[in-house]
Amino acid sequence: MIASAPDPVVTSSELAEALDMSQQGAYNRLSSLEEKGFVRSRKVGASARVWWITDTGRSELPPLGS
């Protein structure tokens, strides 16, 4: 989802909606991926955080067409 999003960053709420899961579940998964270096995040407001995929995360994706 993050790698194919039309914007360079996503929120956990956007990801949760796209994947039909809770916002807290999406946030927890993104946090786990951040610990592994696959995504990064930045706080952009009082309670907002944006996430983006790293080069490491992108290299773990299956090749297009697979």
Side-chain angles (χ1 to χ4, degrees):
M1 161 58 191
I2 294 176
S4 62
D7 298 318
V9 297
V10 297
T11 65
S12 57
S13 295
E14 290 172 323
L15 187 63
E17 185 177 321
L19 298 176
D20 194 28
M21 62 189 307
S22 71
Q23 190 274 333
Q24 187 63 49
Y27 180 87
N28 291 344
R29 180 66 175 138
L30 287 164
S31 293
S32 174
L33 291 170
E34 186 170 36
E35 287 176 12
K36 296 174 183 175
F38 297 136
V39 300
R40 297 221 27 229
S41 70
R42 181 169 60 101
K43 200 166 184 176
V44 293
S47 63
R49 181 170 292 274
V50 293
W51 304 83
W52 61 93
I53 192 166
T54 63
D55 290 340
T56 300
R58 200 170 296 284
S59 72
E60 292 294 315
L61 294 172
L64 291 175
S66 294

